Amino acid sequence: MYKLTYEQIQNIEGNATKKLLKYINKYTEDANFFNNVDFYYPDFGEQKNIIAFNVWISIDYITKDGKTFIEHFLEEMPKSLTNLEKEVLIERNKSHISLFEIIDFEEEFLYVKDLLQNQTQMLWEPELINVLNSGDFIFARIGKVLDSMSFIGDISYLPHSMKPTFLEEVFLDFNHVRLTSPSLTMKEYLKQHSINLYKIYTDCMYEAIEIDEDITSIVYDELDEFEGYLQLKSSRSMIKKHISNLIDLFEYYLMDEDMTLYDLDQLDFEYFFNEAIIDGFISTQEDLNSYISTLKKYIGFLKNITCDYKEAYEEILNISNNRFNYLSQLKYVELPFKINRKISTGVSCILNEDAISLIMDYDKFILYIIDKPLEVTGKNKYIKRKHLLEINSLFDLEEPLEKKAPNQEDFPLIHMFYKFSLNLGLIVLNGNYLTITKKGSNFLRLKDEEKYSLFFEYIWSSEFIGFISRLKSQMNIDKFKKDFMKLLASFKEDTNYRINMILPLFSSFPDFFFSYYKYLEYLGLIRCSLYPNYNIRLTSFGKIVLTLFEDKDNRDHKCNIINLELFRKSR
């Protein structure tokens, strides 16, 4: 612990930065050095652009020697730095850019959520406490500065309306990068491919700027007027919440209709709340109560100015008094992905190579369809051969070709992906083409362990087993699943067993095991060796998964993972 004041730390950090930039300027004296350096940042003014560029090039840019400028500086000129300055630069070199949501404030600290890594951090930022608001989205870099975590360099706002676009573009880019770097984590992506995030942020800001600036300026004048009214009537935190809610309402609905806040008297509130719940803009009782409270307060404010808002005020009061109708509706809104949390939590960080390959290959499958819809056959509506061959060649789990003219069923992994995707609504048949759905794009945003749990439950589902075995009786399928699970779970891990000892389980459908075992291999649960030994072996990973799944009390315990389009816009 250094027990330094904020000002002292700022001075140390500033001195370290000056020395580093002086070194970089000397290193890059060659006039042609920056010709091949691409950097993207919105035109917020020369000074802000210089700061953003200096932060990026000093921390993330990799020279021809495979090092950052900080690493070069620390190796070549360590004596020019004090011990504290060295520590500042060492920690700064570990920092990463991301999109953060301001969650809360506590004295001189603020809590932020890294939306790309789903992590919450406490930052020491006494000078920003009165500048930022809860619900703000900040494109910035964080890192450790001596004793505390803080923002590094300048911070930039992202409009609420651009959050879904930004996150979608980042997750798509992350999965594209992982096509060639399958083991890449989000943390590594943020560090190694930060320039991609700068470009995505820049594109989002320019898109936001294209919004009619006149209507936006009018809305902010309306907000200023309301904020002034609230100053003597509400706490600082409540004022922030009301203003944030009104901005959300404007960006979610009014902006697309070319309406300002003064046009709320034209709004059909019953229709609005129903649509907001269906869209996921309002997804909890807390959301509903918060927006009703804000609208009552704001329309009441307008009613005191002019009687034109009397009818709108009575309508929002009626909504408030009958909110139980909307609360019951919230219970029946179907959320897109139901994750078996027991499995996803249990396999987090321990997925084996086969399981990772399965997940990566499916990501490639989805990205292939995003890039170009798949043409299907006229009879079975299966994927046409030209696509099958291309997709198969992309896979880590590539299927060896044994036929001159293979069809979809000759590629068991692709065939399973096809069934899985239709089952979950990730793809849809559009005439003679398979196209991706919004839910399909959002699948890419799930964590690997969440994707794995969905695959496990589908491959172990009665529907899929019935499809493979041709069994029609649900009773027979349930008995088979129970017996087979019990047998596999009894195996010792990494021990070979003869396949013929389990074949009696399949006496009614003897070909089933040899059609089904490969899917358990895809899941990383077992390894089978056929000719000449015919052995089966439970992997150590398989032992963990089957132990988790065998617990009947938790078997159907599921949690909801909500995609970013259907979930409410964060405030």
Side-chain angles (χ1 to χ4, degrees):
M1 294 288 291
Y2 298 102
K3 296 183 179 179
L4 299 173
T5 66
Y6 183 77
E7 289 74 18
Q8 288 172 324
I9 292 176
Q10 289 285 294
N11 288 334
I12 294 169
E13 192 177 17
N15 290 335
T17 301
K18 290 176 183 177
K19 293 175 182 179
L20 174 62
L21 292 178
K22 184 177 179 181
Y23 170 81
I24 293 174
N25 287 335
K26 185 176 181 181
Y27 188 101
T28 59
E29 283 180 346
D30 181 356
N32 296 320
F33 179 84
F34 292 109
N35 288 349
N36 297 319
V37 177
D38 293 322
F39 182 72
Y40 308 91
Y41 202 70
D43 187 10
F44 290 149
E46 184 178 0
Q47 186 62 31
K48 195 170 179 67
N49 285 24
I50 289 174
I51 293 173
F53 177 76
N54 286 342
V55 170
W56 173 77
I57 200 165
S58 63
I59 300 174
D60 291 342
Y61 179 78
I62 303 298
T63 69
K64 62 182 180 180
D65 298 314
K67 301 175 183 178
T68 65
F69 279 117
I70 289 179
E71 290 168 337
H72 278 292
F73 186 37
L74 290 171
E75 289 177 8
E76 296 172 22
M77 303 181 66
K79 293 183 180 180
S80 66
L81 296 162
T82 67
N83 288 336
L84 290 180
E85 289 169 353
K86 288 178 186 176
E87 185 171 341
V88 165
L89 293 182
I90 289 171
E91 292 299 330
R92 183 183 296 184
N93 198 51
K94 302 174 186 176
S95 68
H96 68 276
I97 194 82
S98 191
L99 182 67
F100 299 93
E101 179 185 359
I102 306 300
I103 303 298
D104 202 0
F105 303 86
E106 184 178 332
E107 296 180 349
E108 294 187 336
F109 295 88
L110 57 89
Y111 291 87
V112 301
K113 183 176 182 180
D114 185 334
L115 297 180
L116 297 176
Q117 296 193 89
N118 197 29
Q119 297 175 349
T120 301
Q121 295 277 3
M122 182 176 72
L123 308 182
W124 188 24
E125 290 290 353
E127 294 182 352
L128 294 179
I129 293 297
N130 296 317
V131 176
L132 299 174
N133 296 314
S134 296
D136 284 345
F137 296 116
I138 304 298
F139 181 67
R141 181 182 299 272
I142 67 170
K144 188 177 180 182
V145 183
L146 298 181
D147 289 333
S148 305
M149 296 292 291
S150 296
F151 286 124
I152 292 176
D154 218 342
I155 65 172
S156 301
Y157 288 87
L158 181 76
H160 285 61
S161 60
M162 298 313 300
K163 173 197 166 189
T165 301
F166 178 87
L167 292 176
E168 180 176 358
E169 291 300 320
V170 170
F171 281 113
L172 285 174
D173 184 66
F174 171 58
N175 281 282
H176 270 296
V177 173
R178 291 215 305 175
L179 292 177
T180 54
S181 304
S183 62
L184 187 76
T185 65
M186 176 58 76
K187 183 178 181 180
E188 292 167 339
Y189 167 79
L190 296 177
K191 184 65 177 172
Q192 299 170 18
H193 301 272
S194 62
I195 192 63
N196 297 19
L197 276 82
Y198 280 97
K199 186 177 188 306
I200 292 169
Y201 173 73
T202 300
D203 291 342
C204 285
M205 290 306 299
Y206 283 139
E207 183 178 339
I209 289 171
E210 291 177 2
I211 297 171
D212 189 337
E213 294 182 356
D214 290 337
I215 194 171
T216 303
S217 62
I218 291 172
V219 168
Y220 277 98
D221 287 341
E222 294 168 349
L223 289 171
D224 287 342
E225 185 181 32
F226 182 50
E227 186 173 4
Y229 164 78
L230 293 175
Q231 291 292 343
L232 301 177
K233 298 179 178 295
S234 301
S235 66
R236 180 169 171 265
S237 61
M238 281 307 303
I239 292 173
K240 286 184 176 181
K241 175 57 71 176
H242 286 317
I243 296 300
S244 178
N245 281 352
L246 289 174
I247 291 173
D248 284 350
L249 289 167
F250 169 69
E251 293 180 342
Y252 164 68
Y253 189 84
L254 300 177
M255 185 168 62
D256 290 340
E257 302 296 325
D258 290 330
M259 299 168 70
T260 74
L261 297 174
Y262 278 7
D263 296 320
L264 282 171
D265 61 323
Q266 302 174 29
L267 202 64
D268 182 334
F269 286 107
E270 183 177 353
Y271 173 82
F272 168 79
F273 279 102
N274 283 324
E275 288 298 303
I277 290 171
I278 292 172
D279 288 347
F281 177 72
I282 294 174
S283 63
T284 67
Q285 180 177 342
E286 181 185 0
D287 293 343
L288 180 66
N289 290 337
S290 181
Y291 284 117
I292 288 176
S293 174
T294 294
L295 285 170
K296 283 170 58 179
K297 182 72 70 174
Y298 183 66
I299 297 174
F301 158 70
L302 295 178
K303 180 177 71 72
N304 291 334
I305 298 174
T306 170
C307 61
D308 292 343
Y309 294 92
K310 182 178 180 181
E311 186 175 339
Y313 185 68
E314 290 175 353
E315 187 178 350
I316 195 63
L317 286 180
N318 184 55
I319 295 288
S320 178
N321 293 332
N322 294 283
R323 69 183 66 191
F324 61 86
N325 292 329
Y326 301 97
L327 291 175
S328 62
Q329 185 180 338
L330 279 170
K331 298 178 182 178
Y332 299 106
V333 175
E334 184 177 352
L335 299 172
F337 294 111
K338 292 184 177 180
I339 306 297
N340 186 319
R341 184 61 65 193
K342 187 172 183 66
I343 292 178
S344 66
T345 302
V347 303
S348 179
C349 302
I350 64 167
L351 293 172
N352 64 10
E353 186 176 341
D354 288 335
I356 291 173
S357 293
L358 171 71
I359 293 165
M360 291 302 303
D361 283 350
Y362 186 72
D363 286 351
K364 294 172 187 175
F365 178 76
I366 286 291
L367 290 168
Y368 186 94
I369 303 176
I370 289 175
D371 186 52
K372 51 184 174 184
L374 299 183
E375 193 174 359
V376 297
T377 60
K379 183 179 179 181
N380 294 323
K381 299 299 181 183
Y382 283 171
I383 301 168
K384 285 199 169 181
R385 186 175 299 122
K386 62 180 181 179
H387 297 304
L388 293 171
L389 297 173
E390 287 183 13
I391 294 171
N392 186 54
S393 67
L394 296 173
F395 285 173
D396 291 341
L397 300 172
E398 183 177 357
E399 185 74 19
L401 297 179
E402 298 180 356
K403 292 184 178 180
K404 291 184 178 179
N407 296 313
Q408 181 173 303
E409 292 179 339
D410 298 311
F411 298 91
L413 186 58
I414 296 178
H415 195 44
M416 187 270 287
F417 285 168
Y418 172 88
K419 294 285 186 180
F420 172 82
S421 302
L422 288 174
N423 178 271
L424 288 187
L426 309 182
I427 59 175
V428 66
L429 278 167
N430 236 337
N432 291 323
Y433 290 90
L434 279 175
T435 57
I436 201 77
T437 63
K438 285 186 177 179
K439 189 176 179 182
S441 296
N442 291 329
F443 180 91
L444 295 172
R445 300 176 177 175
L446 298 179
K447 298 177 182 177
D448 286 347
E449 58 266 27
E450 293 165 348
K451 295 175 184 177
Y452 180 86
S453 73
L454 291 173
F455 274 114
F456 180 90
E457 294 211 311
Y458 177 71
I459 290 173
W460 195 250
S461 69
S462 297
E463 176 184 341
F464 187 71
I465 290 176
F467 167 71
I468 294 294
S469 66
R470 313 297 183 192
L471 277 174
K472 302 299 181 184
S473 168
Q474 184 64 47
M475 184 180 300
N476 288 341
I477 293 176
D478 290 343
K479 184 178 186 306
F480 156 74
K481 290 170 64 175
K482 178 180 178 181
D483 293 344
F484 192 32
M485 172 69 73
K486 185 176 180 179
L487 178 63
L488 287 178
S490 70
F491 286 177
K492 294 181 179 179
E493 61 186 66
D494 296 323
T495 301
N496 286 326
Y497 295 86
R498 298 300 297 269
I499 288 177
N500 60 15
M501 72 174 289
I502 67 173
L503 290 181
L505 276 176
F506 312 102
S507 57
S508 301
F509 34 99
D511 294 334
F512 173 69
F513 175 79
F514 294 102
S515 299
Y516 186 68
Y517 81 89
K518 60 175 67 71
Y519 298 103
L520 299 183
E521 286 191 321
Y522 294 149
L523 287 169
L525 305 180
I526 64 171
R527 298 272 170 78
C528 286
S529 172
L530 299 184
Y531 184 82
N533 297 319
Y534 289 91
N535 289 331
I536 181 173
R537 176 163 53 91
L538 183 68
T539 66
S540 57
F541 173 71
K543 187 71 173 178
I544 294 172
V545 175
L546 294 182
T547 300
L548 289 169
F549 197 65
E550 200 180 17
D551 183 355
K552 288 185 178 181
D553 293 335
N554 293 296
R555 188 168 180 173
D556 292 320
H557 178 66
K558 297 177 181 178
C559 298
N560 292 325
I561 295 294
I562 306 168
N563 75 52
L564 293 163
E565 268 68 30
L566 295 180
F567 194 57
R568 66 181 176 82
K569 294 178 182 176
S570 298
R571 297 172 311 286

